[in-house]
């Protein structure tokens, strides 16, 4: 049997078995974006608190220029030999992203400044998509990372978040909350597991 | 082996057992604080449970919808009836691409299918990239927890292991230092890998996409460099809508580790340009569980591990004492569903305290299922004959009040008159670390009758 | 109101004072009661061991014995939960007689607070009391809020004991962890069971508990077994015993 026909035989067999004794159908709950969900008087403050609690840093600035000034004074940025930004005016790039075809070439990126779409107050997650970078590995491979979002774009909770995004519109999209971390050795938290060792989220007021 | 002797071995090293217990209790407390910070927590649990129950009741529909949408995104969809089929499918994909090295992020499904040894036998280097999983892989042992695979290992032991395999300094045991060493070691592996394998936390029927949640970023790194991404999932991982993700992502990390959300919650919808994304849908007994009204809800599990962290038995006996891929309360249901003979002691490794049921984010009635599983084992004659006989015997007594009274009296008398050595000996497991109750001269019913008969005496003011 | 006393088999034989304290408490609140003599065991040990066929005749017998009472009251959350939550599978769905028995079987603190509406008990018990939340009372009968569930519920034991003169409560590090009794678990998994019991006892020792109490004598039997073996200075009393003792002491609050 070819793998294709094996596959469709297995498919039929599984579906048949699953159909064999299905329980009575039960209703699917309604999950409106603005339902009885937690909201915050000041979502930005909450976002900042939660982000700090997960090891990240929120920096609120009036404009891109101010973010740029802040960044150039930030130790990890200053120490990074290989830098990359996708936001004009916020940091600079030592690599030309558009000339890179193989993502492996990004192995040594020290710092990347990338775009986030919005933040979620309840968990400090920032929504990112691969429409904004040529290689999605950029969200994971740099030693340090900054995400910039317009300051007005903080939603309260995940229901609001999913209410405003087009999931499925991008091969890759996702939430990033804080720098990468692990507590796999005796439950002691270590920041900087495989991904970014630090995460700055810029909230830019005038963009 | 069965659970009790392995558990006894674990508890025998009391300080270590306490250390293990405390580490997990710490996670449980973090979970409590997180759950407490969400006013609608209990509502979310209700919703999560309802979504899962609904999905399973329409599973064929959602599987087909998922497949249709995934195919449209350019995903290769594979169906595997058994663990062997799953392994074969994965191997075929890898061989087609002449893959020599893979990196793998955590997937309980691939553990269940024993994918690693199978691939290794076929000449493929498999590197588990989750730090905890890498530690147990290097130590050549299975994970002891589904979220915290190396929770049973002390940092000194990790230090020794890394000294041997990664060349870290001898005697070094600082978690930050060891994690840094693993980071360097695994970066290499990420960059060398020809394919990445991940599990799936949620598969969305309405979009055909999958969601993978990690803290370390290992799943994402692992599939963003090589050209091939294989995602392996049980058919129960489906959810109908994108909006359902809000419920599950709010519950998952809070329940699992007491974080507001995992660091990375990645949504994959189709391959990168010029690359391939494969999804393997695995049955391996799940369709059988769907047919069982008693145990169907066990398929709602989102593998958060909270029931392990809260289980007073798990915390004190360690994950390996369960000898199954998934340990703890949920594992003690899933394992006997797979092989009731091999895992017949697991449903009894439980005091029926019900903490797991109360902690479970999808409201699986775990302790009731464990009880039901005991009944099923009874039906299948998989309960120790001695236990069965003694229960028959006691039930025989309890059916006859006179016999109950007589033997009760006899028992009390024996406890009162027998010398200690006749009561506390090696055939009395109760008395090894505990006293038996002090036997009173009279039973309650005697006292009650005595009191009634003197009740007419006005001088008697019973207390 | 016809109230039957359901005194679990092992309480009948080994803890008659707990049964008598239950009687005293009920009488204190003016409840007339009966003790149906043919009662024995509710079948929980068999059911929990996976021996449902052995439990069934005992369940049928229980319904037989307690049929016709308005309430069936027991000083044991575990046995009550067996009757109320697990008898269903032994009877026909339409069997109204067994349903009535099931629904009207109440644990003592439930009966006192929910049926009699007791909100305060006047009496005196000048001791530091450590409450052990027995799991079945807590997570099956919901006699208090469990630490896992984010929902506030009345703590019935605290309601009943809280107003006694001089009483203080221990602050435990783990307020509702299982003691490790678990029926046959106590023997089948002796090592884990005893470690769990030992940990509970230590928590109470740390907290300064003078009197350890609970709604289930089975948990207390296990914990007392450990306390006595280790010669700890903690007195073990069922909450009915505390109430019976407390209401007999003249209280300042009463006047
Ligand atoms: S059974 Fe519930 S608590 Fe246990 S791992 Fe699964 S989802 Fe989590």
């Amino acid at each position: 049997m070819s793998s294709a026909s094996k596959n469709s035989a297995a498919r039929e067999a599984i579906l048949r078995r699953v159909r064999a004794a299905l329980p009575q159908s039960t209703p699917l709950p309604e999950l409106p974006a603005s339902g009885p969900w937690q909201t915050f008087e000041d979502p930005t403050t909450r976002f900042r608190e939660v982000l700090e609690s997960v090891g990240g840093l929120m920096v609120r600035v009036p404009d891109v220029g101010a973010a740029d000034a802040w960044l150039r004074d930030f130790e990890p940025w200053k120490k990074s030999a290989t830098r990359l930004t996708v936001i004009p005016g916020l940091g600079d790039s030592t690599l030309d992203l558009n000339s890179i075809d193989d993502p492996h070439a990004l192995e040594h990126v020290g710092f990347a400044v990338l775009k986030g779409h919005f933040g979620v107050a309840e968990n400090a997650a920032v929504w990112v998509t691969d429409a904004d970078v040529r290689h999605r590995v950029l969200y994971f491979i740099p030693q340090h990372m900054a995400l910039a979002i317009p300051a007005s774009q903080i939603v309260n909770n995940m229901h609001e978040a999913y209410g405003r995004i087009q999931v499925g519109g991008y091969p890759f999209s996702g939430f990033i909350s804080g720098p990468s971390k692990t507590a796999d050795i005796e439950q002691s938290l270590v920041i900087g597991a495989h991904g970014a060792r630090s995460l700055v989220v810029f909230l830019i007021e005038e963009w | 082996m069965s659970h009790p002797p392995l558990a006894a071995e674990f508890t025998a090293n009391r300080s270590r057992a306490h250390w293990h217990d405390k580490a997990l209790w710490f996670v449980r407390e973090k979970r409590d604080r997180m759950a407490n910070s969400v006013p609608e927590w209990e509502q979310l649990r209700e919703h999560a449970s309802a979504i899962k129950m609904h999905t399973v009741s329409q599973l064929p529909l959602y599987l087909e919808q998922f497949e249709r949408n995934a195919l449209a995104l350019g995903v290769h969809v594979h169906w595997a009836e058994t663990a062997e089929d799953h392994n074969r499918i994965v191997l075929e994909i890898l061989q087609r691409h002449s893959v020599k090295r893979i990196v793998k992020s955590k997937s309980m499904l691939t553990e269940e299918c024993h994918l690693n040894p199978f691939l290794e036998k076929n000449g493929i280097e498999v590197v588990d990239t989750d730090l905890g999983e890498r530690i147990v892989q290097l130590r050549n042992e299975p994970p002891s927890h589904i979220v915290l695979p190396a929770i049973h290992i002390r940092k000194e032991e990790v230090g020794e292991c890394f000294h041997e395999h990664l060349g870290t300094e001898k005697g070094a045991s600082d978690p930050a230092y060891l994690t840094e060493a693993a980071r360097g070691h695994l970066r290499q592996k990420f960059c060398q890998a020809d394919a990445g394998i991940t599990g799936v936390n949620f598969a969305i029927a309405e979009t055909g996409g999958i969601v993978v949640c990690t803290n370390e970023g290992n799943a994402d790194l692992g599939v963003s460099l090589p050209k091939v991404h294989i995602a392996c999932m049980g058919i129960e991982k489906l959810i109908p809508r994108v909006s359902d993700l809000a419920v599950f992502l709010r519950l998952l990390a809070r329940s699992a580790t007491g974080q507001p959300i995992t660091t990375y919650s990645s949504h994959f919808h189709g391959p990168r340009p010029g690359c391939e994304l494969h999804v393997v849908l695995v049955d391996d007994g799940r369709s059988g569980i769907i047919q069982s009204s008693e145990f169907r809800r066990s398929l709602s599990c989102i593998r958060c591990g909270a029931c392990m962290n809260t289980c007073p038995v798990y915390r004190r006996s360690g994950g390996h004492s369960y000898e199954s891929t998934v340990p703890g309360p949920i594992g003690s249901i899933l394992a006997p569903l797979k092989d009731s003979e091999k895992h017949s002691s697991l449903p009894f490794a439980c005091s029926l305290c019900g903490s797991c049921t109360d902690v479970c984010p999808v409201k699986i009635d775990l302790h009731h299922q464990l009880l039901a599983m005991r009944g099923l084992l009874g039906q299948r004659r998989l309960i120790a004959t001695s236990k069965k006989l003694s229960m028959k015997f006691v039930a025989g007594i309890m059916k006859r009040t006179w016999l109950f009274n007589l033997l009760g009296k006899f028992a009390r008398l024996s406890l009162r008159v027998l010398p200690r050595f006749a009561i506390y000996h090696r055939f009395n497991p109760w008395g090894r670390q505990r006293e038996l109750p002090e036997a009173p001269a009279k039973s309650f019913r005697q006292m009650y009758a005595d009191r009634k008969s003197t009740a007419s005496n006005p001088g008697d003011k019973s207390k | 109101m016809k109230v039957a006393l359901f005194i679990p088999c092992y309480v009948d034989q080994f803890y008659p004072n707990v049964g008598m304290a239950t009687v005293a408490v009920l009488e204190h609140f003016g409840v007339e009661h009966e003790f149906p003599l043919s009662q024995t065991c509710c079948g929980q040990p068999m059911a929990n061991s996976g021996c449902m066929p052995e439990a069934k005749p005992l369940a049928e017998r229980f319904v037989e014995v307690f049929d016709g009472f308005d309430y069936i009251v027991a000083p044991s959350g575990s046995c009550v939960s067996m009757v109320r939550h697990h008898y269903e599978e032994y009877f026909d769905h339409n069997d109204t007689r067994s349903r009535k028995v099931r629904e009207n079987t109440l644990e003592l603190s439930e009966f006192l607070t929910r049926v009699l509406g007791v909100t305060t008990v006047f009496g005196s018990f000048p001791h530091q009391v450590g409450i052990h939340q027995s799991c079945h009372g807590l997570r099956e009968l919901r006699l208090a809020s469990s630490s896992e569930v984010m929902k506030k519920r009345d703590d019935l034991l605290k309601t009943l004991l809280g107003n006694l003169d001089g009483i203080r409560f221990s602050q435990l590090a783990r307020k509702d962890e299982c003691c490790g009794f678990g029926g046959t678990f106590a023997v089948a998994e002796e090592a884990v069971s005893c470690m769990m019991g030992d940990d509970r006892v230590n928590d109470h020792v740390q907290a300064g508990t003078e009197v350890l109490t609970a709604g289930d004598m089975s948990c207390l039997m296990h914990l007392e077994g450990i306390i006595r073996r280790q010669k700890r200075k903690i007195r073990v009393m069922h909450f009915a015993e505390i109430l019976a003792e407390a209401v007999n002491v003249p209280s300042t609050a009463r006047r």
Side-chain angles (χ1 to χ4, degrees):
Chain A
M1 225 186 336
S2 74
S3 2
S5 56
K6 251 193 239 168
N7 197 35
S8 67
R11 178 184 187 277
E12 289 320 308
I14 292 171
L15 288 173
R16 187 172 356 95
R17 270 202 305 275
V18 175
R19 274 195 200 99
L22 278 186
Q24 228 183 353
S25 179
T26 51
L28 190 57
E30 294 280 336
L31 300 170
S34 57
W37 320 120
Q38 185 172 29
T39 56
F40 306 95
E41 222 166 89
D42 180 1
T44 306
T45 302
R46 179 66 167 213
F47 181 87
R48 177 200 294 275
E49 286 163 5
V50 179
L51 183 59
E52 282 171 8
S53 78
V54 298
L57 187 63
M58 187 189 101
V59 179
R60 194 181 171 120
V61 287
D63 50 32
V64 172
D68 181 66
W70 190 95
L71 185 67
R72 286 176 193 276
D73 204 30
F74 185 49
E75 266 322 293
W77 174 267
K78 287 197 279 189
K79 282 196 187 140
S80 297
T82 314
R83 301 183 299 271
L84 228 158
T85 181
V86 301
I87 300 170
L90 180 41
D92 55 18
S93 299
T94 60
L95 279 178
D96 176 17
L97 191 53
N98 287 324
S99 70
I100 292 171
D101 291 325
D102 181 356
H104 288 88
L106 297 165
E107 190 189 338
H108 299 292
V109 174
F111 206 112
V113 181
L114 306 169
K115 204 171 141 221
H117 291 233
F118 62 89
V120 186
E122 70 159 320
N123 55 20
V126 175
W127 178 249
V128 299
T129 74
D130 58 4
D132 304 303
V133 288
R134 176 135 186 253
H135 297 288
R136 69 180 190 217
V137 79
L138 268 182
Y139 291 111
F140 314 109
I141 210 163
Q143 298 292 329
H144 301 272
M145 183 161 73
L147 293 170
I149 55 178
S152 58
Q153 301 300 302
I154 301 284
V155 301
N156 285 290
N157 55 54
M158 292 298 280
H159 309 278
E160 289 179 17
Y162 278 110
R164 61 182 287 172
I165 51 191
Q166 206 49 51
V167 176
Y170 316 93
F172 170 80
S173 55
F175 290 103
I176 298 179
S177 167
S180 94
K181 56 187 84 65
T182 181
D184 272 350
I185 302 177
E186 286 206 8
Q187 277 301 295
S188 31
L189 181 69
V190 180
I191 305 277
H194 297 302
R197 299 168 187 274
S198 73
L199 176 74
V200 175
V201 178
F202 286 113
L203 260 59
I204 300 178
E205 279 160 25
E206 298 261 335
W207 196 355
Chain B
M1 250 215 238
S2 68
H3 187 269
L6 293 169
E9 204 181 303
F10 196 84
T11 58
N13 187 341
R14 202 43 81 93
S15 67
R16 189 177 185 118
H18 269 139
W19 165 80
H20 188 262
D21 164 66
K22 288 211 179 84
L24 288 152
W25 185 257
F26 171 71
V27 183
R28 159 69 212 274
E29 287 184 319
K30 281 203 290 182
R31 171 265 172 207
D32 289 353
R33 283 195 293 275
M34 269 299 155
N36 203 16
S37 73
V38 180
E40 63 270 28
W41 183 257
E42 295 304 325
Q43 227 174 325
L44 289 176
R45 290 176 72 220
E46 284 291 345
H47 286 324
S49 165
I51 295 165
K52 283 287 187 177
M53 295 307 285
H54 165 84
T55 311
V56 83
S57 76
Q58 311 261 324
L59 194 55
L61 219 99
Y62 287 127
L63 281 168
E64 286 172 330
Q65 191 189 5
F66 172 78
E67 182 190 43
R68 210 167 40 242
N69 289 326
L71 289 173
L73 292 170
V75 178
H76 299 265
V77 180
H78 308 263
W79 300 73
E81 288 188 71
T82 61
E84 293 74 48
D85 292 348
H86 161 265
N87 292 351
R88 175 184 48 77
I89 291 166
V90 172
L91 181 65
E92 280 172 10
I93 302 168
L94 297 177
Q95 287 175 338
R96 211 173 316 128
H97 291 272
S98 315
V99 169
K100 288 270 157 308
R101 299 190 189 93
I102 63 154
V103 282
K104 197 167 139 278
S105 73
K106 196 149 54 195
S107 146
M108 290 325 289
L109 179 84
T110 58
E111 282 290 333
E112 172 190 330
C113 297
H114 304 292
L115 179 68
N116 288 13
F118 174 79
L119 293 182
E120 281 160 3
K121 224 175 51 213
N122 284 282
I124 292 171
E125 182 195 75
V126 183
V127 174
D128 281 323
T129 54
D130 172 86
L131 175 59
E133 288 217 304
R134 187 61 181 154
I135 294 168
V136 296
Q137 188 182 35
L138 289 174
R139 283 167 55 103
N140 206 7
E141 57 184 67
S144 73
H145 188 290
I146 59 175
V147 173
L148 318 161
I151 188 73
H152 61 292
I153 304 170
R154 300 206 119 167
K155 57 178 192 269
E156 292 79 14
E157 294 166 312
V158 178
E160 272 166 44
C161 170
F162 280 13
H163 173 65
E164 184 186 329
H165 295 278
L166 312 184
T168 54
E169 253 170 73
K170 197 172 171 57
S173 66
D174 172 43
Y177 168 77
L178 295 173
T179 303
E180 185 59 36
R183 179 184 170 105
H185 156 74
L186 287 165
R187 274 266 162 157
Q188 263 179 5
K189 300 290 179 188
F190 282 121
C191 291
Q192 292 166 351
D194 311 309
I197 297 185
T198 68
V200 171
N201 289 92
F202 308 98
I204 315 158
E206 77 176 354
T207 62
I210 55 169
V211 177
V212 180
C213 306
T214 70
N215 278 323
E216 299 182 4
N218 56 317
D220 312 283
L221 255 184
V223 301
S224 300
L225 291 169
K227 288 201 176 311
V228 185
H229 173 185
I230 307 174
C232 307
M233 60 178 273
I235 52 175
E236 83 283 11
K237 291 283 173 249
L238 236 54
I239 55 169
R241 309 165 295 191
V242 169
S243 57
D244 298 323
L245 283 170
V247 172
F248 289 108
L249 293 193
R250 296 187 79 191
L251 288 167
L252 178 62
R254 287 189 172 97
S255 298
T257 51
Q259 293 170 262
I261 189 171
T262 46
T263 304
Y264 303 98
S265 310
S266 297
H267 302 48
F268 299 97
H269 285 82
R272 279 150 49 212
C275 301
E276 285 184 15
L277 171 57
H278 296 261
V279 174
V280 190
L281 295 162
V282 184
D283 181 345
D284 197 32
R286 287 162 176 78
S287 55
I289 302 177
I290 293 173
Q291 293 174 23
S292 138
S293 58
E294 258 165 331
F295 301 111
R296 185 180 302 132
R297 287 183 71 176
S298 66
L299 291 178
S300 301
C301 176
I302 56 171
R303 301 284 189 273
C304 73
C307 58
M308 281 147 230
N309 305 341
T310 204
C311 177
V313 180
Y314 174 90
R315 277 187 267 112
R316 291 174 179 81
S317 63
H320 288 160
S321 67
Y322 292 79
E323 294 184 300
S324 71
T325 309
V326 180
I330 182 67
S332 300
I333 297 161
L334 296 175
L337 280 171
K338 235 188 176 145
D339 184 343
S340 49
E341 200 164 339
K342 179 168 171 223
H343 299 292
S344 65
S345 69
L346 295 189
F348 296 93
C350 161
S351 62
L352 296 175
C353 76
S355 180
C356 47
T357 301
D358 275 3
V359 91
C360 176
V362 286
K363 297 193 88 162
I364 302 173
D365 53 339
L366 288 155
H367 73 297
H368 289 161
Q369 296 211 6
L370 285 163
L371 186 59
M373 183 55 75
R374 294 178 185 187
L376 185 75
L377 294 176
Q379 274 170 31
R380 294 191 182 161
R381 303 184 182 285
L382 288 170
I383 294 180
T385 333
S386 58
K387 192 183 264 172
K388 183 84 182 164
L389 282 180
S390 61
M391 284 303 151
K392 264 203 157 62
F393 179 71
V394 177
I397 298 164
M398 295 300 184
K399 277 186 256 184
R400 301 167 181 88
T401 315
W402 64 270
L403 190 57
F404 166 69
N405 289 336
L406 185 73
L407 290 173
K409 198 169 190 158
F410 178 72
R412 276 183 282 118
L413 187 70
S414 322
L415 278 183
R416 290 161 69 85
V417 301
L418 286 177
R420 266 194 89 81
F421 71 83
I423 299 170
Y424 295 96
H425 47 66
R426 64 197 178 89
F427 299 113
N428 172 8
W430 177 276
R432 228 172 54 79
Q433 305 179 61
R434 285 167 293 213
E435 294 293 300
L436 283 153
E438 272 167 335
K442 285 185 179 177
S443 67
F444 168 76
R445 62 185 68 218
Q446 284 171 294
M447 287 169 82
Y448 190 78
D450 291 354
R451 172 187 158 284
K452 272 264 151 87
S453 64
T454 54
S456 48
N457 179 354
D460 175 57
K461 268 263 190 287
S462 66
K463 99 165 184 173
Chain C
M1 186 163 62
K2 260 185 92 183
V3 173
L5 280 173
F6 159 34
I7 302 297
C9 48
Y10 70 99
V11 174
D12 181 6
Q13 293 300 334
F14 295 103
Y15 298 101
N17 291 333
V18 174
M20 294 308 283
T22 305
V23 168
V25 171
L26 289 176
E27 287 179 354
H28 176 79
F29 289 105
V31 178
E32 284 185 37
H33 51 82
E34 259 177 71
F35 177 79
L37 279 171
S38 46
Q39 64 179 281
T40 57
C41 169
C42 64
Q44 185 180 200
M46 297 81 203
N48 286 0
S49 308
C51 300
M52 279 60 172
E54 281 68 31
K56 188 168 193 285
L58 296 180
E60 286 164 351
R61 202 166 182 281
F62 187 95
V63 170
E64 198 78 33
V65 171
F66 288 102
D67 182 27
F69 288 95
D70 296 322
Y71 293 104
I72 298 128
V73 179
S76 162
S78 188
C79 304
V80 168
S81 130
M82 168 71 188
V83 174
R84 217 154 77 207
H85 295 168
H86 298 284
Y87 267 21
E88 213 176 329
E89 61 180 287
Y90 302 109
F91 297 93
D92 188 273
H93 190 66
N94 302 316
D95 180 3
T96 48
R97 197 172 69 131
S98 71
R99 163 151 334 137
K100 188 160 173 281
V101 168
R102 252 162 36 207
E103 286 170 358
N104 295 325
T105 300
L106 299 182
E107 187 272 341
L108 179 62
S109 69
E110 261 182 321
F111 178 74
L112 294 176
T113 54
R114 292 186 185 151
V115 177
L116 299 186
V118 175
T119 50
T120 23
V121 180
F122 296 109
S124 171
F125 197 74
H127 303 285
Q128 179 169 333
V129 172
I131 294 181
H132 172 68
Q133 290 289 1
S134 294
C135 298
H136 291 172
L138 184 68
R139 300 194 187 85
E140 293 276 342
L141 302 180
R142 303 293 180 193
L143 305 181
S145 25
S146 71
S147 58
E148 300 87 2
V149 177
M150 301 300 135
K151 184 175 166 184
K152 283 271 160 288
R153 290 186 168 92
D154 290 339
D155 183 331
L156 302 194
L157 279 197
K158 279 236 168 104
T159 304
L160 291 171
L161 299 175
N163 208 51
L164 298 176
D165 280 2
I167 199 164
R168 288 159 290 139
F169 293 107
S170 298
Q171 293 295 324
L172 299 171
R174 300 185 186 181
K175 73 183 186 92
D176 55 13
E177 197 182 27
C178 177
C179 69
F181 172 68
T184 47
F185 174 83
V187 174
E189 291 268 5
E190 187 262 349
V192 179
S193 166
C194 287
M195 182 172 168
M196 286 165 69
D198 194 46
D199 289 349
R200 284 294 77 232
V201 170
N202 277 321
D203 199 354
H204 281 280
V205 170
Q206 294 293 318
T209 296
E210 293 162 24
V211 178
L212 175 61
T213 195
D216 250 305
M217 227 27 234
S218 50
C219 310
L220 291 177
M221 170 166 77
H222 166 69
L223 291 172
E224 186 182 36
I226 291 170
I227 287 170
R228 278 175 45 223
R229 174 64 59 89
Q230 299 180 356
K231 303 201 170 23
R232 305 272 196 176
K233 287 194 181 47
I234 293 180
R235 204 169 137 209
V236 175
M237 293 172 85
H238 189 276
F239 82 87
E241 294 180 288
I242 295 185
L243 286 177
E245 193 177 304
V247 296
N248 257 347
V249 181
S251 158
T252 46
R254 201 180 325 196
R255 274 168 252 133

